Amino acid sequence: MAKKFSKEHEWLEIDGDVATVGITDHAQQALGDIVYVELPEIGKKLSKDGDAAVVESVKAASDVYAPVDGEVVEANEELDANPALVNESPENDGWFFKIKLSDASQLDDLMDEAGYKAFVEGLED
């Protein structure tokens, strides 16, 4: 499975034509303690860079954007009961939703892990 990253700090793990989406470790650290996550409904069609979810922390509420076009096929219901999973395991158990890709070529616009690491390091300068 390939992993990609957006400049808005979402990660995607691609398995066939479905991508699992969440926020990066960098993003959850910047937000602080997550207290609520609003997930997209299953079947909802998302557009690249459009609003997909909302995450609320003790610091602020932030939108989570869809990194690609597609249809939501699953949402992580465990986040309803335990939004802290995003802090504990942002790039594994704290995933937000799964999206069926409608245009796999959009993955080419995203960064690989090394590219994202360099991008984040550039933000900290």
Side-chain angles (χ1 to χ4, degrees), residues 77-96:
E77 295 178 7
E78 289 186 42
L79 296 182
D80 286 337
N82 186 12
L85 267 178
V86 178
N87 293 116
E88 295 164 8
S89 182
E91 296 187 26
N92 290 298
D93 295 337
W95 60 276
F96 281 40

Side-chain angles (χ1 to χ4, degrees), residues 42-110:
I42 294 171
K44 183 175 182 179
K45 296 198 185 306
L46 301 177
S47 298
K48 181 179 180 193
D49 299 328
D51 295 344
V54 176
V55 60
E56 292 183 24
S57 71
V58 294
K59 292 182 180 177
S62 298
D63 290 326
V64 175
Y65 302 102
V68 291
D69 291 344
E71 180 178 338
V72 177
V73 294
E74 188 176 345
N76 187 354
E77 295 178 7
E78 289 186 42
L79 296 182
D80 286 337
N82 186 12
L85 267 178
V86 178
N87 293 116
E88 295 164 8
S89 182
E91 296 187 26
N92 290 298
D93 295 337
W95 60 276
F96 281 40
F97 58 91
K98 294 185 181 189
I99 186 169
K100 184 172 183 182
L101 306 173
S102 60
D103 182 0
S105 71
Q106 292 176 336
L107 297 172
D108 296 338
D109 298 335
L110 301 170

Side-chain angles (χ1 to χ4, degrees), residues 27-45:
Q28 69 83 20
Q29 286 184 31
L31 288 167
D33 292 338
I34 306 296
V35 295
Y36 177 74
V37 178
E38 182 181 314
L39 299 168
E41 293 179 22
I42 294 171
K44 183 175 182 179
K45 296 198 185 306

